[in-house]
Amino acid sequence: MTNHLGGDNVGINIQGSKVEHATITNTVVIQRPEGRPVPAELPRRPSLFIGRAAELARIEKLAEQVGTESVVVVVEGAPGVGKTGLLQHAAHTLAPRFPDGHLYVDLRCYAPGTSPVTAHEVLGRFLTSLGVPRAEIPAGTDERAARFRTEVASSRLLMVLDNAGDPAVVRDLLPGGDHSMVLIGSRPQLASLESSARISLPVLGEEESAELVTGLVGERAESEPAATRELARLCGNLPLALWIACARLVSRPAWSVRRLVTALSEERRRLAGLQVGDLEIRAAFSLSYRALDPLFARVFRIAGLHPGPDWTAEAMADTAELELAEAEDALDGLLSAHLVEQDVAGRFRLHDLVKLFARERAEETDGDDAVRAGERRLVDHFVKQALRCDLSLRDEMLLVPNDRLQSQRSTALDWFDAELGNCSEVLRLAAEREWFAEASVLSGSLSEYLRLRGLQDVMEAACRINLKAARARGDLHQQVRALGQLASPELDRRNPDRAAELFSRARELSRRIGDEDLEILVIGTEATLYTVQGRLDAAAKAFERCLVHHVRRDDFNAALHNLGNVLAKSERWDEAIAAYRMCEKLASALEPRVLPTIYQNLANLLHDRGTDPETALEYARRARDFCAERGDHPGKAAAQLVLGRIQLRSGHVEDAAETFADVRRLSGTMRNARMEANAIDGLVMAASSAVPSPVRTNQ
């Protein structure tokens, strides 16, 4: 039989301080004096402790296992996230459960101006605290560790090992019995250390951060709640940064919270502003950075150049000019050091303050030329990927069903969904650096995706950058397209005057360059403006001009569509329906992307005629399903508005209510206030309808 004392033994029964019976080989049994001291080394409990309820509850639950097994809890997290505060608060809460003593040591693996404490030193101090005479403390580390385990074998002991970094050091300090609990705080992941539980500590929540600021600053924070929340945001909800900011406020009684917020708002000065006395947020990050492998440190600096919210290993590999496997290894190392965060598998991000620090290191270590080169490679990565995905979205080879092409389209949509925030920030970066060719390509590559998802605010921002890039490059064709794209959101916001101004500028430019095709494109879009303004004659004339142009160009599909529009505006219903149906046949064979618009037009006309309501419903469903399959959110919402109105007029009130509710959900995703207002109008009409609901339609 082998137990925690070491060696071969039989019948050991340690109770209190006596060994009652033992047969032991190669083991020294210590008889402890009755008056052995009880160490009480815990630092003072934090005067203000906010949040961490879940983490504390978990630690307390684990403490219940002590007695049947020893418990080792590792609390890991980024610099300044509050590991020490949690350990000290938890230790004081648990202290009454451990009557035989409380040992504490700061291992100083990440302490400025000092070297880490060795296991040899700590064991000597622990043995002294436990009453072992200095003369009896062994000289070797292994012997000290064995003597320590012997001394505490049956003790209900609480230990706190803070600021750990080396698993080997921690192993030498662990007790061997079943009656102890060890709380360990560490920046890096101590992955090779066996433990009962690992707790990865996040930053505080927004409300918790505001509560901490209020608790530390008092009335000033209470009287400025908005500024207090903004201060918490600027500090990234990082406890150490919040403590430093609050210490500055406390030391400046005349300052308002807003004044400090203003001082910290400039990114370039924020890290310098988070310093008071011997507390400095930059120093906390620097200790972890200096411990990095050189390759990991370079990847960390490059990560600070990324303006977006997160990145993938592929993006890092292209930006850092590394093989993918090298980039993955480096990012994994940064994860282990808690300098990089990962909320979603495969996607990495930096805390806002850590990102500022990383960029500082890049500028100081690598220089401006290297920083610009890295940014250029980052922009090139997103231009290349966005262009590739855009081609998959625009590919009209869906004329013939093809699983491979449909899969490529789905993959492209998924990529844009995941990378939209990054693309937007990279586009802004390209414009700031005046890399207008890249900005123009990236903006153009985003347009189809943004149209499909109905993200008008993002599209508008991209169009403005595209217009700026087109002007800088003297590209009049691109200016015309950008002006036309900027006019559409103005129509949706019911701002026809602004839309008319943009259309007019686009038309003038198209005439100046003599591009009739481009001018007709503007005029066709402008016809929508006339419809919104109620100028049906002007809309009909615009469609007629487009019709003549398309006939001359042998573009019969576009010609028929415009003919249907003209006939519909002229209330020549039968002829309009015939034109749309012919257009439907041509579009099915040649240009399927326009089918939803044709289906909606047919649905409206057929229902308005009142001669074929079921066919009208079928066309509306076709438009909805086609757009849903293509991931076209605005197209689907528009089709459902048509479907809901037809359902309502046909007496299918419950179906209409469900349809309008779905439009409302979708409009929220798109942040389209006009679409949401139309959906609410439909829901109100459905709720107030007095028409009894017949048999439900097949949706």
Side-chain angles (χ1 to χ4, degrees), residues 488-530:
S488 295
E490 300 297 344
L491 283 176
D492 288 331
R493 285 194 287 265
R494 301 292 186 181
N495 192 357
D497 292 341
R498 174 60 177 159
E501 177 191 343
L502 292 166
F503 279 131
S504 176
R505 288 162 56 189
R507 194 169 58 253
E508 289 174 10
L509 278 176
S510 62
R511 287 173 180 167
R512 187 194 309 174
I513 59 180
D515 189 330
E516 189 179 4
D517 288 335
L518 201 55
E519 183 181 358
I520 290 300
L521 178 64
V522 174
I523 291 172
T525 310
E526 200 172 13
T528 308
L529 167 64
Y530 299 145

Side-chain angles (χ1 to χ4, degrees), residues 2 29 77 105 111 124 145 170 233 261 272 303 364 370 419 549 558 578 593 623 644-645 659 667 692:
T2 302
V29 178
V105 65
V170 173
R233 187 192 68 79
V261 165
E364 293 183 14
E419 300 291 352
H549 175 81
R593 66 188 302 164
R645 287 164 185 159
T659 300
S667 62

Side-chain angles (χ1 to χ4, degrees), residues 522-584:
V522 174
I523 291 172
T525 310
E526 200 172 13
T528 308
L529 167 64
Y530 299 145
T531 303
V532 170
Q533 293 174 322
R535 300 165 57 192
L536 300 185
D537 289 342
K541 288 179 181 178
F543 284 131
E544 285 172 359
R545 181 168 178 190
C546 294
L547 171 61
V548 171
H549 175 81
H550 290 306
V551 168
R552 197 165 63 240
R553 289 285 195 272
D554 292 333
D555 188 350
F556 295 111
N557 186 47
L560 280 169
H561 197 184
N562 281 291
L563 176 60
N565 292 336
V566 172
L567 293 169
K569 298 303 178 188
S570 305
E571 299 185 358
R572 295 162 64 180
W573 310 118
D574 290 336
E575 294 169 273
I577 290 172
Y580 283 138
R581 281 184 164 155
M582 180 61 72
C583 191
E584 176 191 0

Side-chain angles (χ1 to χ4, degrees), residues 454-496:
L455 300 173
Q456 287 191 344
D457 53 344
V458 184
M459 180 180 285
E460 198 170 357
C463 284
R464 287 199 182 96
I465 291 176
N466 196 13
L467 181 59
K468 179 181 178 181
R471 285 171 174 164
R473 299 171 66 207
D475 187 339
L476 298 182
H477 289 79
Q478 195 64 35
Q479 289 181 53
V480 172
R481 293 187 179 91
L483 287 167
Q485 289 173 326
L486 285 170
S488 295
E490 300 297 344
L491 283 176
D492 288 331
R493 285 194 287 265
R494 301 292 186 181
N495 192 357

Side-chain angles (χ1 to χ4, degrees), residues 48-57 86 89 201 204-205 207-209 211-212:
L48 180 64
F49 187 83
I50 301 295
R52 310 304 193 194
E55 291 84 358
L56 285 169
L86 174 62
H89 185 84
L201 207 58
L204 293 173
E207 294 301 321
E208 293 170 336
S209 296
E211 185 181 352
L212 178 61

Side-chain angles (χ1 to χ4, degrees), residues 303-579:
L305 308 182
H306 192 339
D310 59 11
W311 68 91
T312 61
E314 290 80 4
M316 179 55 72
D318 281 354
T319 307
E321 297 181 296
L322 297 173
E323 295 296 326
L324 180 59
E326 291 178 299
E328 289 173 336
D329 287 346
L331 291 170
D332 189 62
L334 293 174
L335 275 175
S336 296
H338 282 287
L339 284 173
V340 161
E341 301 171 11
Q342 186 177 47
D343 296 328
V344 178
R347 304 199 69 84
F348 305 87
R349 64 183 176 87
L350 291 175
H351 183 276
D352 290 347
L353 295 178
V354 177
K355 180 184 282 191
L356 293 177
F357 175 78
R359 186 174 184 90
E360 275 190 358
R361 294 299 92 214
E363 291 172 345
E364 293 183 14
T365 304
D366 304 315
D368 290 343
D369 290 345
V371 166
R372 289 293 177 270
E375 290 177 336
R376 194 68 176 256
R377 291 192 298 270
L378 176 68
V379 171
D380 288 344
H381 167 82
F382 280 95
V383 168
K384 177 181 67 177
Q385 295 299 322
L387 187 58
R388 177 182 60 80
C389 291
D390 181 50
L391 290 174
S392 296
L393 294 186
R394 295 178 185 275
D395 198 331
E396 290 305 328
M397 285 185 282
L398 293 175
L399 293 168
V400 178
N402 185 308
D403 290 343
R404 182 179 62 83
L405 293 176
Q406 187 59 52
S407 175
Q408 289 177 353
R409 181 183 179 83
S410 297
T411 300
L413 283 171
D414 289 343
W415 186 87
F416 275 121
D417 286 341
E419 300 291 352
L420 177 59
N422 289 321
C423 285
S424 297
E425 291 300 318
V426 168
L427 178 59
R428 180 191 56 77
L429 173 65
E432 284 182 0
R433 298 288 181 260
E434 298 186 352
W435 299 332
F436 292 123
E438 290 83 355
S440 182
V441 174
L442 183 54
S443 175
S445 299
L446 285 169
S447 61
E448 178 65 7
Y449 166 77
L450 295 174
R451 184 193 69 78
L452 288 170
R453 290 303 195 229
L455 300 173
Q456 287 191 344
D457 53 344
V458 184
M459 180 180 285
E460 198 170 357
C463 284
R464 287 199 182 96
I465 291 176
N466 196 13
L467 181 59
K468 179 181 178 181
R471 285 171 174 164
R473 299 171 66 207
D475 187 339
L476 298 182
H477 289 79
Q478 195 64 35
Q479 289 181 53
V480 172
R481 293 187 179 91
L483 287 167
Q485 289 173 326
L486 285 170
S488 295
E490 300 297 344
L491 283 176
D492 288 331
R493 285 194 287 265
R494 301 292 186 181
N495 192 357
D497 292 341
R498 174 60 177 159
E501 177 191 343
L502 292 166
F503 279 131
S504 176
R505 288 162 56 189
R507 194 169 58 253
E508 289 174 10
L509 278 176
S510 62
R511 287 173 180 167
R512 187 194 309 174
I513 59 180
D515 189 330
E516 189 179 4
D517 288 335
L518 201 55
E519 183 181 358
I520 290 300
L521 178 64
V522 174
I523 291 172
T525 310
E526 200 172 13
T528 308
L529 167 64
Y530 299 145
T531 303
V532 170
Q533 293 174 322
R535 300 165 57 192
L536 300 185
D537 289 342
K541 288 179 181 178
F543 284 131
E544 285 172 359
R545 181 168 178 190
C546 294
L547 171 61
V548 171
H549 175 81
H550 290 306
V551 168
R552 197 165 63 240
R553 289 285 195 272
D554 292 333
D555 188 350
F556 295 111
N557 186 47
L560 280 169
H561 197 184
N562 281 291
L563 176 60
N565 292 336
V566 172
L567 293 169
K569 298 303 178 188
S570 305
E571 299 185 358
R572 295 162 64 180
W573 310 118
D574 290 336
E575 294 169 273
I577 290 172

